[in-house]
Amino acid sequence: MPFNQAKRSNISHGRAPTFLLPLLLFFTCVAPPLSVTSAADNDRPNVVVVMADDLGYGDIGCYGAKGLKTPNIDRMASEGCRFTSGYCSASTCTPTRYSFLTGTYAFRFPNTGIAPPNSPALIPAGTTTTASILQDAGYKTAVIGKWHLGLGEKNEGPDWNGDLKPGPLEIGFDHCILLPTTNDRVPQVYVNDHNVENLDPADPLWVGNKKPSEDHPTGITHRDTLKMDWSHGHNSTIHNGISRIGFYTGGHAARFRDEDLSDRWVAESKRWIAENKDEPFFLFFASHDLHVPRVVHERFQGSTELGPRGDAIAELDWCVGELMKSLEENGLTEKTMLVFCSDNGPVLDDGYKDDANEKLGDHDPNGPYQGGKYTVYEGGTRTPFITRMPGTIPVGVSDEMVCTIDFAASLAAMVGQELPNDACLDSQNVLGALMNQSGASGREHLVQQDNGKVGNYGYRVGDWKLVRHDQKKSYNFDLSMTRKAVPRFALYNLQSDPAEQNDLSDSEPERAKQMQQELQKLLDAGRSR
């Protein structure tokens, strides 16, 4: 058992706890699994998950932001539950998104680090996912926004000029409008279900890792033409005055303007919500804000004191407000569990010169925590996390530990779907905690990772946190993107030392040793559920 473990959750896997019965009777009955043809299907709650990108714990007003305002997200928190120990499972985007959908720690599988532009689908067709669980329960499902989990067959990758599958539609989504990778990587096109939208067959799209021709413009050869300069790495193909990672040619009619990303996704989401308002639905709104390049719509440019990074937070807040407005207009506010979270912690200079450091002022993106994106310190994975469902989720602040990896098991319990034994291997049913129900417990323990399988982990049990760096190096620990030498293991008490400054390994040798052993057992076991 975990050393000095937290109180065990009284929510059993796949079944509703007794204290949730009044709530779940409002939804309909939890067990046995609900029939997709049930007359009461439209009484079950909708689920909308808004996942921000590179948003830190301290980047939102209600979490202590300075130099900017987030009235819509703050309103959501004031009408719901704001978590102080809400986590994503990894400090980079691809593994967090993988774990959110599969309910399994990404480090258990190869090639789940940051996906390159031509990555094949990282989640095989037919895999049980958060989306497929709800789809099997009769929900309409959609993902709109940043994907970054690969498209196409294994060893082949995406067929940009043909059918892009397998992809979201093969793992439980009915519909998708995607940014296929991430916007600092090529190509700048939308994927609508299985195809690149507006692609002209006479102008085929090519995506590759090598410069296609000597005269192909890049951020190096045509740097003086850029409207946003690069600082490191992002200096290949130029589109919309911004150079990216990777190369592409063609597909000109399909290319989008960076400034319009959020507007397009909000419009598509509002349309999809209105079309599906009469039946239960699951919408994964995968925002690109605040990921680089931070190029927001003109109406948000200069709207904060923090430069493009702060402006991206303002744009993100607008997106949340528009989604809440859409739920209100369709009479769905009290029937929808709205979730706000992030895929990892903050980063400042992540490849472009956009004044993220210069205009930071006294704003602290990671709040009281150390580290951010790319780290296994708390700032890398502890992020804003809010749930709202007026009349069902009590208003308040919760210290319970919850994680984005837990939505698979928790939502399965909510709709009465049994999880297969060989699926969602690390997802815990923390539905009661997500619903802020009195007496409900969150996770007992959590394994945090950075990117891929490089041997860096965080292991939290209650107030105690073990940090393991197999390479004995840390990156972006102070948001400066510098590296420092660190011991392989360090032990912290998060209650007295939330910034992880005082290594207690020498004064707590027994605890340190046992937590090292527990972490290794969790890594070796292949599952924790």
Side-chain angles (χ1 to χ4, degrees):
M1 300 297 288
F3 197 102
N4 194 27
Q5 67 178 12
K7 179 176 61 178
R8 177 172 296 277
S9 171
N10 57 353
I11 307 175
S12 60
H13 295 296
R15 292 185 299 174
T18 55
F19 64 81
L20 279 181
L21 288 180
L23 165 70
L24 293 170
L25 286 173
F26 170 79
F27 296 160
T28 68
C29 186
V30 168
L34 295 167
S35 166
V36 298
T37 60
S38 168
D41 272 0
N42 60 2
D43 290 331
R44 287 179 291 164
N46 308 305
V47 179
V48 176
V49 175
V50 179
M51 182 175 285
D53 201 317
D54 295 356
L55 181 78
Y57 186 93
D59 274 328
I60 299 301
C62 58
Y63 283 89
K66 298 178 181 179
L68 59 90
K69 296 181 179 180
T70 54
N72 294 302
I73 299 171
D74 292 351
R75 176 194 161 196
M76 180 182 167
S78 71
E79 297 174 351
C81 179
R82 179 173 67 86
F83 289 86
T84 62
S85 289
Y87 290 84
C88 51
S89 59
S91 60
T92 53
C93 47
T94 297
T96 279
R97 292 159 196 270
Y98 179 94
S99 297
F100 163 66
L101 289 177
T102 66
T104 299
Y105 288 131
F107 60 72
R108 300 203 187 282
F109 292 90
N111 303 317
T112 54
I114 299 174
N118 275 326
S119 171
L122 299 181
I123 304 176
T127 300
T128 297
T129 66
T130 302
S132 72
I133 290 166
L134 293 173
Q135 188 182 59
D136 289 346
Y139 278 61
K140 293 294 184 181
T141 58
V143 52
I144 296 175
K146 171 183 167 180
W147 183 238
H148 209 189
L149 288 167
L151 297 164
E153 296 289 351
K154 185 178 181 180
N155 300 322
E156 295 181 12
D159 177 4
W160 297 107
N161 300 287
D163 287 338
L164 289 164
K165 60 182 183 181
L169 274 59
E170 283 65 51
I171 57 170
F173 288 103
D174 297 312
H175 176 55
C176 66
I177 296 283
L178 306 177
L179 169 65
T181 56
T182 192
N183 206 26
D184 60 339
R185 289 167 173 78
V186 299
Q188 276 59 57
V189 297
Y190 294 113
V191 172
N192 191 329
D193 290 342
H194 283 140
N195 304 103
V196 172
E197 188 176 82
N198 297 326
L199 186 62
D200 181 357
D203 183 28
L205 179 63
W206 173 86
V207 179
N209 300 321
K210 296 182 179 180
K211 192 173 179 178
S213 64
E214 282 300 316
D215 60 352
H216 184 79
T218 71
I220 297 175
T221 62
H222 291 67
R223 194 168 190 170
D224 60 345
T225 69
L226 301 177
K227 68 181 183 184
M228 177 176 282
D229 197 10
W230 54 274
S231 57
H232 57 271
H234 299 70
N235 52 26
S236 297
T237 291
I238 299 171
H239 169 70
N240 193 28
I242 304 164
S243 53
R244 324 277 172 155
I245 296 172
F247 298 93
Y248 73 120
T249 61
H252 289 86
R255 299 189 188 189
F256 57 69
R257 198 177 74 113
D258 303 70
E259 291 86 346
D260 299 327
L261 274 175
S262 289
D263 278 15
R264 174 68 193 281
W265 289 338
V266 164
E268 290 290 340
S269 297
K270 294 174 79 169
R271 177 191 59 79
W272 191 82
I273 288 171
E275 289 178 354
N276 293 279
K277 65 180 180 180
D278 295 327
E279 50 193 324
F281 62 76
F282 167 55
L283 171 62
F284 176 25
F285 183 90
S287 174
H288 190 265
D289 293 322
L290 303 48
H291 198 286
V292 296
R294 299 166 183 135
V295 184
V296 299
H297 194 275
E298 285 82 356
R299 66 184 183 276
F300 295 104
Q301 293 175 13
S303 61
T304 72
E305 301 173 6
L306 306 182
R309 186 176 185 275
D311 298 346
I313 297 175
E315 184 174 72
L316 170 67
D317 183 72
W318 171 80
C319 292
V320 173
E322 289 299 299
L323 292 174
M324 290 197 295
K325 186 184 301 182
S326 179
L327 294 175
E328 292 165 4
E329 292 171 349
N330 289 283
L332 301 174
T333 297
E334 294 183 354
K335 290 182 60 177
T336 303
M337 178 198 284
L338 178 62
V339 179
F340 179 80
C341 58
S342 180
D343 67 351
N344 51 252
V347 62
L348 298 177
D349 181 348
D350 205 19
Y352 294 96
K353 298 179 180 180
D354 64 0
D355 292 330
N357 282 292
E358 292 80 357
K359 294 186 177 181
L360 190 62
D362 59 356
H363 176 68
D364 193 347
N366 52 8
Y369 304 110
Q370 177 180 214
K373 185 176 183 178
Y374 310 117
T375 80
V376 291
Y377 294 111
E378 286 295 283
T381 58
R382 195 191 293 215
T383 70
F385 198 118
I386 303 166
T387 60
R388 184 195 77 152
M389 190 174 179
T392 299
I393 296 179
V395 173
V397 176
S398 174
D399 297 328
E400 294 298 325
M401 183 162 56
V402 295
C403 181
T404 53
I405 200 172
D406 295 324
F407 280 106
S410 301
L411 296 180
M414 187 176 78
V415 299
Q417 294 290 107
E418 293 288 340
L419 291 180
N421 186 58
D422 60 352
C424 306
L425 303 179
D426 299 291
S427 188
Q428 301 294 322
N429 179 358
V430 293
L431 179 61
L434 292 172
M435 291 289 185
N436 195 25
Q437 296 296 300
S438 177
S441 298
R443 282 187 150 260
E444 296 175 1
H445 55 77
L446 177 69
V447 179
Q448 303 150 288
Q449 70 168 98
D450 47 10
N451 185 52
K453 301 180 70 173
V454 296
N456 296 335
Y457 304 99
Y459 175 50
R460 179 179 172 184
V461 184
D463 291 335
W464 291 93
K465 168 81 174 287
L466 177 76
V467 174
R468 169 174 157 179
H469 287 99
D470 285 0
Q471 298 178 336
K472 298 184 178 181
K473 294 179 181 178
S474 178
Y475 181 52
N476 200 36
F477 64 95
D478 59 356
L479 302 188
S480 67
M481 299 297 278
T482 57
R483 298 180 186 273
K484 72 171 181 177
V486 295
R488 186 184 182 206
F489 292 105
L491 179 69
Y492 303 101
N493 185 293
L494 297 178
Q495 178 64 34
S496 59
D497 180 27
E500 296 165 282
Q501 299 293 304
N502 303 308
D503 182 4
L504 301 178
S505 298
D506 291 341
S507 60
E508 294 275 352
E510 181 182 350
R511 186 186 304 275
K513 180 179 179 181
Q514 182 158 344
M515 290 187 70
Q516 291 172 24
Q517 294 172 343
E518 290 172 3
L519 172 59
Q520 190 59 53
K521 287 180 180 179
L522 287 169
L523 299 180
D524 294 340
R527 63 186 301 151
S528 59
R529 180 175 74 86

